[in-house]
Amino acid sequence: MEFAELIKTPRVDNVVLHRPFYPAVEGTLCLTGHHLILSSRQDNTEELWLLHSNIDAIDKRFVGSLGTIIIKCKDFRIIQLDIPGMEECLNIASSIEALSTLDSITLMYPFFYRPMFEVIEDGWHSFLPEQEFKLYSSATSQWRLSYVNKEFAVCPTYPPIVIVPESIDDETLRKVATFRHGGRFPVLSYYHQKSKRVIMRSGQPLTGTNGRRCKEDEKLINATLRAGSRGYIIDTRSLNVAQQARAKGGGFEQEAHYPQWRRIHKSIERYHILQESLIKLVEACNDQTHNMDRWLSKLEASNWLTHIKEILTAACLVAQCIDREEASVLIHGTEGTDSTLQVTSLAQIILEPRSRTIRGFEALIEREWLQAGHPFQQRCAQSAYCNTKQKWEAPVFLLFLDCVWQILRQFPCSFEFNENFLIMLFEHAYASQFGTFLGNSESERCKLKLQQKTMSLWSWVNQPSKLSKYTNPLFEANNLVIWPSVAPQSLLLWEGIFLRWNRSSKYLDEAYEEMVNIIEYNKELQAKVNILRRQLAELETEDEMQESP
Amino acid sequence: MEHIRTTKVEQVKLLDRFATNNKSLTGTLYLTATHLLFIDSLQKETWILHHHIASVEKLALTTSGCPLVIQCKNFRIVHFIVPRERDCHDIYNSLLQLSKQAKYEDLYAFSYNPKQNDSERLQGWQLIDLAEEYKRMGVPNSHWELSDANQEYKICETYPRELYVPWTAKKTVIVGSSKFRSKGRFPVLSYYHQDKKAAICRCSQPLSGFSARCMEDERLLEAISKANPVNCYMYVVDTRPKLNAMANRAAGKGYENEDNYSSIRFQFVGIENIHVMRSSLQKLLEVNGTKGLSVNDFYSGLESSGWLRHIKAVMDAAIFLARAIMVENASVLVHCSDGWDRTSQVCSLGSLLLDSYYRTIRGFMVLIEKDWISFGHKFSERCGHLDGDPKEVSPVFTQFLECVWHLTEQFPQAFEFNEAFLLQIHEHIHSCQFGNFLGNCQKEREELKFWRNMYHQFDQTLHPRQSVFNIIMNMNEQNKQLEKDIKDLESKIKQRKNKQTDDILTKELLHSVHPESPTLKTSLRFKEQTRLPVNDSLRTIEGSSPADNRYSEYAEEFSKSEPAVVSLEYGVARMTC
């Protein structure tokens, strides 16, 4: 298919662009296969350069022959284009609609994007499972790498390489896979060096109504416990939902069959409930009537912060099991690809200092989200403005980022990255020139040959020039567990995401810059003081030497 | 003092109101004439000024002892468990006596506390200060002059002695107008904007009833309007809700009739009265104090308390003022009922928006002095300093501080002071100021937030506890120190070098020099020598470094304390599964 077929009017002059906090600009609008570009003719600068895949929904209106297109983006921005000429406007609108909803992944921009920077480190190879495993293998011999899923035959949503208990062979894994939803047998998510306890994750057990059991599954799970010790199974569904799942062949672990494990249900919402929550929240944030009560009740009705609190609470519970109770934890919901990953990854942020560094966090996303099979393509297909609601769309990853932001705000010195880093990840998960977040699993990514055909986000972001923007100037390595507060008084609306286009960030940006300057200056001064002290000491000794030769 | 029967109780437990595992600190409680002091086993001290105590409550006896709950005006809530009931009773009674003083003379004096009648306060340096402040604004000038009408507080007791009025307003006009205004508080200048030649004036409500008029008052308003050469009309802002103002008419008070006054534009801005504000805060505190609240309960509680709505109403009024002056060049006259609560809030916040000087530490204090203290905000009654009418207590000043805090959040660089300063002022007494980045402010959506640090500054388990602002402020201080150090060091090095060259010169003249051996030895000794000073520098830095405090926090409490709500739910979960 040629993009040209979709673009009936590639260029319109005298288009006026309206954006929040910028004066309106008049310029020439150009449509390309992947971008919408507006350039004001005066000084030949691009005023707007928007990926079609970032467009969530458009509205069009006409007043006489002047058409207006309102573009609502997945990053919640809303812009308006005034286009003279009804035909041009209709053409542009239909082109945008078609180009922003391409159904073939291989037509997406990452397959066409040619990087303008020199790749120092290929991000596709930055976080290989073997390397990650090395971090553990020095500390424990209880675990091994398994290649049982090499052809994605055992579990289509798992990566080819997974970490499993040393004592469990691949044959057992195959059997366990038939007992777990989507073949997602329990694998290692995190090994806590201090307590020597682990976080594992899986899909729900397929017990069904008649309470099926699987000896291999029990063996695998018990293999992770020492004799006499106990573990916790955190089910991210309420007991009710878990019981209902039995009717569809799913279910949960029966105490009788897993006597060493205690099961705790923590209800975390999924799918359309989260999507609706996001839609309501964004609507509330865009509501321009300045009424305090309506704002508060709308914020409350969106339930967004309730979801944040539930997720954080579950993650704290897991961290507490590991660090305080010194017990291993198995986490699953239904599929084990959404709330499960939110909880495992946040627990690691709380427990593991490494995951609070930039590289550590990237590794965490690679391991716990991309390789663990979070279906990014499905979940992030649309955002808050889309009318055609599909049931698999949900802001699961955004909720995770929001939770990280909450912790970051509570511990502003413990993270190597800053808020901008989280915002950047949000943007790229929904629309990007990089292939990292394409596809729903490693097997899909393999089939698409993303490694060969697209550029990894990490290649771009890990350039020193880019990293400086995402580095937290206050960072000081903190090796302790950080316990966030989950009381509603401590949770805040993430203004950097949700009010980003509704308020001018000028003053906050200036303050941030000033902060960076003060810190830089402080470092400079300290270095200078140290040099001068050394010089002085040198001179003093010389003097002494000369006085008493 | 006669009220104190027990001065020291041992083995007292201090509970954290948000920790659910009943974690407590054990220590000794001391009662002094001015403070209640608790020293825990880690030697950490908790000081509570008797004067800060809002209420003391003795709860039913439990197995571990007698609980004593003390609520403070700075929103600290402490929950003690005293082992013996008799001790608890003694302390309870003493605190009841000590926290409510009947006479001004009994008050523990602190810097901003208006110990005397507001009018008596206007003496000494403050007076001079305010005259300077008006001079800074550019008055007196060709339109405004100092009036001696109130020299002996004859016309209005609650006004300062030195008042600024339009020069065209003669004393007869002033006297006449004051008789037409509630408590004699006639229109006077509060803030003068030099560039725009527009003024913020303040007064109390007119005694208009349903139809009364006063020629002098009308002339005074006209004079104020004329004192602004640019604009022919002025705004009269009644900060009350229209309904309240109308109700006042029946009592012979009310608001200006636009028909009787030439060239005024009348406007209500709808800020609720002190009683509404008091109960709003009460509701807010109830919500905050609830343990294990769900997010929805918190927000619906926050909403139904109306607190943020009231804050926004005050901010909106101040923005209206600032816009009138900046955009329309119009003078504004502000009043409410008596003109000392809402009027003070709105005038001071409006000036803060308009004038960057008030956003400095000094300017902020001047503003408080000017709009609050000198114009007779009844701090003592509003803050409940004395055992008086509880209906006179109201968080008017707290609201002002909170408005300023919202501005500091939105415009962090526009203020010289920070949250800690506001909390400090609140600690001592309520005081507030407004600012002047109006052009942006009016468009700004105010997604007002909950001021966590105001209402939870003493709750250890509610994060965040690290303030980026404080860290940066400390660093700024440290930078100044370092700059000084560098200068010192450079001058020392210079001295040394000079001395050395002198020495060398003399030595060269006297002997032939053997440069090898000394330099060699120096480089050997250099290592030992440098390590010391470098370490030294680190140590001094750590002393002032916030990072240092942070670690001790983690090590001692934080890593041990558990997330409040989690542990609760965890406990429940363990029981049910």
Side-chain angles (χ1 to χ4, degrees), chain A residues 31-51:
Chain A
L31 282 188
T32 72
H34 295 105
H35 285 97
L36 183 147
I37 302 157
L38 188 116
S39 162
S40 64
R41 286 155 302 170
Q42 285 88 351
D43 40 10
N44 224 15
T45 51
E46 280 90 32
E47 303 288 346
L48 180 74
W49 188 281
L50 188 71
L51 261 181

Side-chain angles (χ1 to χ4, degrees), chain A residues 343-476:
Chain A
V343 174
T344 57
S345 49
L346 284 169
Q348 293 180 48
I349 299 269
I350 295 168
L351 290 168
E352 176 59 51
R354 185 172 161 260
S355 65
R356 294 174 227 141
T357 63
I358 288 180
R359 273 200 92 86
F361 192 69
E362 291 170 356
L364 183 79
I365 289 185
E366 186 70 34
R367 204 172 63 230
E368 289 301 304
W369 289 88
L370 293 163
Q371 302 201 9
H374 175 68
F376 275 100
Q377 191 78 41
Q378 289 181 351
R379 298 286 181 267
C380 302
Q382 298 292 345
S383 168
Y385 299 119
C386 186
N387 304 321
T388 57
K389 286 174 197 140
Q390 301 287 352
K391 82 173 198 10
W392 53 76
E393 286 157 10
V396 177
F397 188 62
L398 176 59
L399 274 164
F400 160 71
L401 293 176
D402 197 335
C403 289
V404 176
W405 178 79
Q406 304 282 352
I407 308 178
L408 168 68
R409 208 185 59 84
Q410 295 184 16
F411 298 91
C413 304
S414 299
F415 288 80
E416 195 191 354
F417 50 87
N418 60 14
E419 181 181 357
N420 292 335
F421 188 65
L422 299 174
I423 296 174
M424 180 274 294
L425 288 173
F426 159 70
E427 288 176 338
H428 284 281
Y430 280 83
S432 174
Q433 66 269 45
F434 304 107
T436 298
F437 290 108
L438 289 182
N440 291 310
S441 63
E442 282 300 284
S443 68
E444 282 191 31
R445 286 181 200 110
C446 258
K447 276 183 212 128
L448 290 167
K449 296 202 170 59
L450 290 181
Q451 293 207 12
Q452 291 82 43
K453 293 186 171 170
T454 71
M455 175 64 57
S456 163
L457 171 65
W458 312 130
S459 310
W460 175 75
V461 104
N462 285 336
Q463 303 171 88
S465 59
K466 293 284 170 236
L467 278 181
S468 61
K469 194 183 151 199
Y470 301 126
T471 308
N472 177 7
L474 291 166
F475 176 62
E476 263 174 71

Side-chain angles (χ1 to χ4, degrees), chain A residues 232 255 262-264 266 284-297 299-300 303 305-306 309 313 316-317 320-321 324-325 409-414 474 476-478 480 482-492 495 499 502-504 507-508 510-511 514-515 518-519 521-522 525-526 528-530 532-547, chain B residues 18 287-288 290 293-296 298-300 302-303 308-309 312 409-413 440 443-450 452 456 461-466 468 471-472 475-476 478-479 482-483 485-486 489-490 492-493 496-497 499-500 503-504 507 518 521-522 525-526 529-530 533-534 536-537 541 547 550-551 554-555 558-563 565-567 569-570 573-574 577:
Chain A
Y232 289 88
E255 275 95 0
R262 261 192 190 161
R263 205 180 63 249
I264 299 174
K266 299 293 317 176
C285 292
N286 287 336
D287 177 8
Q288 293 293 339
T289 57
H290 297 231
N291 182 317
M292 204 65 222
D293 281 356
R294 267 180 60 198
W295 160 243
L296 284 177
S297 58
L299 184 61
E300 181 203 334
N303 271 331
L305 288 169
T306 306
K309 187 182 169 198
T313 307
C316 287
L317 176 69
Q320 213 173 337
C321 288
R324 291 293 142 79
E325 305 285 320
R409 208 185 59 84
Q410 295 184 16
F411 298 91
C413 304
S414 299
L474 291 166
E476 263 174 71
N478 166 11
L480 297 160
I482 51 174
W483 297 109
S485 162
V486 296
Q489 291 95 322
S490 297
L491 301 179
L492 273 189
E495 295 183 19
L499 298 179
N502 295 318
R503 50 158 198 171
S504 159
Y507 297 96
L508 299 174
E510 279 172 11
E514 184 65 29
M515 180 178 94
I518 290 173
I519 294 170
Y521 187 47
N522 183 269
L525 288 177
Q526 287 196 15
K528 203 167 169 192
V529 165
N530 286 345
L532 288 175
R533 288 218 167 127
R534 205 170 303 154
Q535 262 183 27
L536 186 66
E538 219 168 303
L539 289 171
E540 276 170 0
T541 32
E542 268 174 40
D543 278 7
E544 276 172 39
M545 297 307 296
Q546 279 171 352
E547 276 159 24
Chain B
F18 285 102
V287 174
N288 291 345
T290 314
L293 212 57
S294 80
V295 176
N296 284 356
F298 176 68
Y299 277 97
S300 54
L302 197 58
E303 185 187 331
L308 289 178
R309 191 183 66 220
K312 187 171 187 302
E409 281 286 290
Q410 290 178 23
F411 307 95
Q413 278 203 287
N440 316 300
K443 282 189 203 147
E444 204 63 39
R445 264 192 78 129
E446 295 137 66
E447 250 82 60
L448 300 186
K449 300 177 265 201
F450 169 67
R452 206 197 53 81
H456 290 296
T461 43
L462 289 184
H463 291 248
R465 305 225 311 275
Q466 288 170 272
V468 173
I471 293 172
I472 295 301
M475 211 171 254
N476 224 354
Q478 196 192 358
N479 283 355
L482 284 170
E483 276 170 3
D485 286 358
I486 287 177
L489 285 168
E490 274 172 348
K492 274 188 199 161
I493 288 174
R496 288 271 174 193
K497 276 191 177 153
K499 204 179 128 207
Q500 248 176 19
D503 285 356
I504 289 169
K507 277 178 189 169
K521 275 192 184 171
T522 313
R525 288 185 56 173
F526 171 69
Q529 281 282 338
T530 43
V534 170
D536 242 356
S537 81
I541 288 157
R550 231 166 56 225
Y551 282 114
Y554 283 156
F558 237 74
S559 51
K560 278 179 208 148
S561 71
E562 282 144 22
V565 182
V566 177
S567 48
E569 287 171 6
Y570 184 41
R574 286 224 287 186
C577 65

